Amino acid sequence: MPRQRSYFVVMSFYVIPMLVYCLIKRFLSKTSTIGMTLDLTPYRENYTLLPPGTSTVMYIVLIPFVMIFLYGLYFRLRIYGLDALLTLSKNFRSWFKQSFRYSILQKRIFKEVSPRIMHSTTSYGILILFIGTLLVFIDSDFLEPFNQKLLQGAFYLIFEFILDLFGLLLIFGITLQLIRRYSGVKRLKPKLEYYVYLWGLLFIGVSGFILESIRISVNQPPWSSYSFIGSMISVTIINSGIPVYILKNLYLILWWTHAIIAFGLVAALPYTNLRHVIVSFIYTGLTYSAPRLPQLAKTPFKLSEVDLSATEESKVGFRSIGDLDWLQKMGLDACTDCGRCEVVCPAYSSGTPLSPRNLVQKLMKIMWRQRLSWKRDLIESKDLGYDEIYACTTCGGCVEQCPVVISPLEYIIEARRAFIIDGRMEKKAIETLNNLSRGENPYGLPRIERERLVKELRELGAKTIDEHPNPEYIYWVGCLATYDPRIRNIARKMIEILSKAGVDFAILGTLERCTGEPARRMGEEGLFQELALKNIETLKSINARKMIVHCPHCYQVFKNEYKELGLEIEVIHHSILLRDLMSKGRIKPKINIENLVTFHDSCYIARFNNVIDEPRELLAGLRFKEMEKRGKDTFCCGAGGGNYWSEVKRAKRESLQRIEEAMKINAEVIIVECPYCLAMFEDAVRVMGLEEKIKILDISEIF
């Protein structure tokens, strides 16, 4: 756990509660003395300083605000359907666990110190004040008519103290938010509705303390010190000598202003972006069963189960709001517009038209503009542009950062499927898909190339599955290592290591074909499944139990995406295997690197599959320094999402940005764990003229 986060946890769960406990204990001891001397029980004075019948008038005024609020909720329920409520009721335990983690504990917001303090003080302040208002409502309008009191005695004193404490936190949090917005934080959009809400909440917080201080100044209850903020302000009011009748008139005006602004803000909730206060709480809990990382998106059909004689076609792709399911529609509404996804998006930083935040917000606005008529074709209308949708590298950074667990990847991949159906692809992408279809590899090269590689690897000690049936491991070589001369060095090195370490393995040789990963990322689901089913059949025919891969994209597909199509196999990335072999003393690093080394995490290994520490253990003893973006917060090389095999214009490629980041720490060697990253970074180094300054190595090449 990072030091800042650890400090915050200690402060939150130990120091602050202990401080509050000591203060309450001190106040309670003071109260017992007051009770003995004055024989007076503290209690909540409801509607004090207000004319008789105020509560009746207030409820009459409240009616239109409630109707506006309920209509907004009703309209959204029509959009989401009853499925949301049914899913919640059927899996309440899973829903509550997930929602508590991301909405109440705000797991992802707490990653950053400033937003952590700002958002927690604001949200918890609103939550506690809302609960306080609810208790006042129960006390004054349900119990008091029956001569019963909830807010009295020690409970009331604690109640007053806690409300003042969290009211102060709310004002502090809102003030921080206003400062951040007016200071021009880039990812925070200057929308009028946000400023209206923030100033409205600030007014409610400040006016609440002023009302409390006037009430204390006029009534002067002996227990007023528990309302420590109101009590301090009341001293100034009393010393000012303002006549009581003026204070009462001011109280009346301010009370109604406070109430109407509060009613207005609540009524407007379903119609503004602040609806995420409600929607995200429900949505985050429902995402426990949604296809987030590492699955990326739903499987629209299973090729093995498709009935070719059926006249009705399977629905594939997303081209109108009506094509989205209820959870995806709710996800659009849950967006907080915070911009965290945009900040980490490599496509956005590269100057492409894609911003995950803008995409989700755009779809949300279209959803509400069209109301319940969602037939408009978003591709024909160019609301979804090719360069925008295909700029995504599917790195998952947006999903990892979203505080309410929205996956922009789902919308992007579904849109890509619609583009594929329309045949709206750029030339290089079409060539790649044709190559996969005809030659079962993205290069379109003949099978004889695999035969040449097999011959070369056999000379290094490898055996094919025909020569060595039933091995412990199948070593999957992959397309890049088969057809790219530089990447082939990884396969050579792995064969050398596995042979010398005495690992029981075999290669498939000419039985290998592309996993289909580039096709699926581009949106060609049918071609992906066609290749996948052939590979699954091959692996089942040889009774494969364990597989070693050096490509994170192959690792992701075999480990997480072939399962749904019928393959259960243990998949091991080469960085993990190398770590295990080294820990057992079966291999030792051979290259003595004296230069400063850094490590680049692959998105599909670190972020999708949480493999972070293992490769770093291999670098122990080297002069090692981390880049700023590492682990699950790594920065994509730009090859993912099929972008290695297609062309989308970029102002500045992701690989160049990553090399610049390495240069900031004066790294001279960048260790990678992915053949795509290796190819992208070596190309970037050549473009930048840094061949003599920076060397790129796969992690296997240090042995």
Side-chain angles (χ1 to χ4, degrees):
M1 181 180 290
R3 183 177 297 176
Q4 288 181 330
R5 187 175 177 185
S6 177
Y7 175 76
F8 178 77
V9 170
V10 172
M11 286 292 293
S12 299
F13 295 101
Y14 181 74
V15 179
I16 293 176
M18 286 299 295
L19 177 61
V20 172
Y21 170 77
C22 292
L23 288 171
I24 292 174
K25 187 175 180 181
R26 175 176 173 272
F27 286 150
L28 287 177
S29 63
K30 184 177 178 182
T31 307
S32 61
T33 305
I34 293 172
M36 287 186 291
T37 56
L38 299 178
D39 192 25
L40 185 62
T41 301
Y43 68 96
R44 166 82 184 185
E45 301 170 292
N46 295 311
Y47 299 110
T48 185
L49 307 183
L50 295 171
T54 295
S55 62
T56 303
V57 176
M58 181 192 70
Y59 285 117
I60 294 172
V61 172
L62 181 60
I63 289 172
F65 292 101
V66 172
M67 292 177 66
I68 293 170
F69 175 77
L70 291 178
Y71 178 76
L73 290 183
Y74 161 74
F75 191 75
R76 274 166 168 73
L77 186 60
R78 287 182 67 191
I79 287 180
Y80 312 144
L82 292 175
D83 290 329
L85 297 178
L86 291 173
T87 304
L88 189 154
S89 62
K90 289 179 182 177
N91 303 279
F92 182 81
R93 184 176 178 181
S94 298
W95 170 81
F96 182 78
K97 182 179 178 181
Q98 182 90 338
S99 187
F100 187 80
R101 181 186 303 160
Y102 289 103
S103 288
I104 304 300
L105 297 182
Q106 303 175 13
K107 177 181 177 182
R108 291 185 173 175
I109 293 176
F110 280 12
K111 286 181 177 181
E112 303 173 84
V113 177
S114 179
R116 172 199 308 168
I117 296 171
M118 177 191 71
H119 202 276
S120 60
T121 51
T122 302
S123 57
Y124 293 146
I126 291 173
L127 177 63
I128 297 301
L129 292 179
F130 172 75
I131 294 172
T133 303
L134 189 63
L135 292 177
V136 170
F137 167 70
I138 293 170
D139 182 72
S140 63
D141 297 292
F142 275 84
L143 298 179
E144 212 166 79
F146 298 97
N147 294 320
Q148 298 294 320
K149 289 292 289 182
L150 171 66
L151 301 178
Q152 64 177 344
F155 176 72
Y156 171 61
L157 298 179
I158 296 172
F159 170 86
E160 285 292 295
F161 175 80
I162 290 176
L163 255 62
D164 266 32
L165 175 63
F166 280 89
L168 186 62
L169 291 175
L170 172 64
I171 292 173
F172 175 71
I174 294 295
T175 303
L176 282 180
Q177 291 202 48
L178 286 168
I179 291 171
R180 277 170 59 82
R181 286 191 176 273
Y182 281 113
S183 63
V185 176
K186 189 177 179 181
R187 67 179 174 86
L188 300 176
K189 290 189 174 180
K191 289 186 178 179
L192 178 61
E193 67 180 76
Y194 301 157
Y195 290 106
V196 170
Y197 254 95
L198 288 174
W199 282 111
L201 289 171
L202 185 63
F203 174 81
I204 288 172
V206 173
S207 62
F209 280 129
I210 295 174
L211 287 168
E212 181 181 65
S213 64
I214 294 175
R215 175 171 53 83
I216 292 172
S217 300
V218 174
N219 296 335
Q220 298 188 18
W223 52 80
S224 62
S225 60
Y226 294 90
S227 305
F228 60 96
I229 300 297
S231 180
M232 285 190 291
I233 300 174
S234 69
V235 173
T236 303
I237 294 175
I238 293 170
N239 291 337
S240 68
I242 300 174
V244 172
Y245 77 92
I246 293 178
L247 290 176
K248 288 183 176 181
N249 288 332
L250 178 62
Y251 186 90
L252 178 64
I253 295 169
L254 190 58
W255 190 92
W256 275 109
T257 306
H258 176 96
I260 289 173
I261 289 177
F263 295 163
L265 292 180
V266 172
L269 265 178
Y271 307 93
T272 66
N273 193 64
L274 268 294
R275 64 184 161 270
H276 77 259
V277 173
I278 301 171
V279 179
S280 64
F281 177 73
I282 300 171
Y283 176 79
T284 52
L286 295 170
T287 57
Y288 67 90
S289 61
R292 300 301 185 264
L293 302 181
Q295 194 176 332
L296 276 79
K298 294 178 181 178
T299 299
F301 60 85
K302 290 185 180 179
L303 197 60
S304 59
E305 300 174 2
V306 171
D307 184 0
L308 298 178
S309 63
T311 55
E312 186 177 344
E313 295 183 0
S314 300
K315 176 184 165 296
V316 180
F318 145 61
R319 61 189 313 130
S320 68
I321 297 296
D323 293 333
L324 300 175
D325 63 32
W326 64 269
L327 187 61
Q328 290 168 330
K329 292 170 188 169
M330 184 183 283
L332 299 178
D333 255 0
C335 178
T336 65
D337 197 21
C338 66
R340 285 178 173 84
C341 58
E342 187 178 85
V343 170
V344 301
C345 177
Y348 180 78
S349 70
S350 299
T352 72
L354 175 63
S355 158
R357 183 249 297 271
N358 290 345
L359 175 66
V360 171
Q361 286 284 306
K362 175 173 61 177
L363 292 174
M364 180 270 295
K365 290 173 184 175
I366 292 171
M367 180 170 71
W368 290 114
R369 277 205 307 267
Q370 296 180 8
R371 311 297 271 179
L372 294 174
S373 176
W374 296 316
K375 296 181 180 179
R376 178 182 176 180
D377 192 313
L378 302 180
I379 295 177
E380 290 291 342
S381 64
K382 297 185 178 179
D383 288 309
L384 297 176
Y386 181 89
D387 286 346
E388 175 187 28
I389 296 302
Y390 277 90
C392 178
T393 65
T394 66
C395 72
C398 55
V399 187
E400 179 67 28
Q401 290 296 323
C402 180
V404 293
V405 210
I406 297 168
S407 175
L409 283 181
E410 287 186 58
Y411 305 103
I412 289 170
I413 290 175
E414 291 294 345
R416 287 183 175 188
R417 289 168 176 167
F419 273 100
I420 285 285
I421 291 173
D422 280 7
R424 298 170 185 257
M425 302 291 291
E426 58 92 25
K427 183 179 178 182
K428 191 176 177 183
I430 293 173
E431 289 176 358
T432 299
L433 293 175
N434 287 337
N435 291 338
L436 286 168
S437 179
R438 291 195 300 262
E440 298 183 334
N441 69 81
Y443 292 93
L445 294 173
R447 185 172 293 272
I448 194 171
E449 291 295 324
R450 289 194 186 273
E451 294 174 1
R452 290 172 181 168
L453 176 65
V454 170
K455 183 179 179 181
E456 185 177 340
L457 297 183
R458 287 178 67 193
E459 292 174 357
L460 294 172
K463 293 181 180 180
T464 65
I465 193 66
D466 293 332
E467 297 169 321
H468 180 37
N470 300 315
E472 182 180 2
Y473 297 99
I474 294 294
Y475 173 45
W476 186 271
V477 177
C479 295
L480 264 69
T482 300
Y483 300 106
D484 186 293
R486 171 63 181 97
I487 307 303
R488 189 172 293 185
N489 288 339
I490 300 176
R492 295 190 187 103
K493 179 56 68 173
M494 284 301 298
I495 296 297
E496 179 186 327
I497 293 171
L498 295 174
S499 298
K500 289 186 178 180
V503 177
D504 181 19
F505 77 100
I507 58 174
L508 292 181
T510 56
L511 295 178
E512 246 194 45
R513 61 178 60 81
C514 182
T515 61
E517 192 265 355
R520 176 168 251 198
R521 301 298 176 252
M522 290 181 186
E524 189 23 304
E525 181 68 19
L527 179 56
F528 161 72
Q529 290 199 29
E530 183 182 335
L531 292 167
L533 291 173
K534 289 180 180 178
N535 284 323
I536 291 171
E537 183 182 359
T538 298
L539 291 168
K540 284 185 174 180
S541 70
I542 62 171
N543 194 29
R545 303 181 304 275
K546 297 180 182 179
M547 176 181 290
I548 301 167
V549 297
H550 61 249
C551 176
H553 296 254
C554 298
Y555 180 86
Q556 163 67 16
V557 169
F558 281 124
K559 186 174 188 290
N560 300 308
E561 300 180 38
Y562 273 22
K563 279 184 181 179
E564 198 172 3
L565 301 178
L567 180 69
E568 289 285 345
I569 189 169
E570 183 181 344
V571 188
I572 304 166
H573 188 251
H574 75 320
S575 63
I576 300 176
L577 181 70
L578 293 172
R579 189 281 309 267
D580 292 343
L581 292 175
M582 190 176 79
S583 65
K584 294 174 183 177
R586 293 167 69 178
I587 59 172
K588 293 180 180 179
K590 286 185 176 180
I591 297 179
N592 183 20
I593 303 175
E594 297 181 355
N595 298 329
L596 183 64
V597 172
T598 192
F599 182 74
H600 167 76
D601 292 277
S602 162
C603 302
Y604 278 28
I605 292 295
R607 186 177 291 127
F608 282 57
N609 292 286
N610 201 32
V611 177
I612 298 170
D613 296 330
E614 292 87 340
R616 285 169 170 77
E617 292 175 22
L618 296 170
L619 306 178
L622 300 179
R623 287 182 57 216
F624 180 74
K625 188 173 183 179
E626 293 277 16
M627 288 186 277
E628 180 183 355
K629 298 173 183 177
R630 58 187 181 272
K632 286 196 172 185
D633 296 324
T634 188
F635 190 79
C636 184
C637 72
N643 282 2
Y644 189 83
W645 309 104
S646 61
E647 187 64 43
V648 176
K649 292 181 180 178
R650 281 159 159 72
K652 188 175 186 179
R653 291 197 170 274
E654 295 89 341
S655 55
L656 300 179
Q657 297 177 57
R658 190 59 162 165
I659 296 299
E660 287 178 352
E661 186 179 350
M663 290 174 64
K664 288 180 182 178
I665 61 170
N666 298 315
E668 298 166 287
V669 179
I670 303 176
I671 305 292
V672 301
E673 57 186 352
C674 171
Y676 285 96
C677 296
L678 180 63
M680 294 295 285
F681 292 153
E682 286 199 338
D683 183 60
V685 167
R686 282 192 295 270
V687 169
M688 300 170 75
L690 298 172
E691 296 99 322
E692 302 299 322
K693 293 184 178 180
I694 297 180
K695 189 174 183 179
I696 316 296
L697 293 175
D698 181 77
I699 198 161
S700 64
E701 294 179 313
I702 67 173
F703 291 94

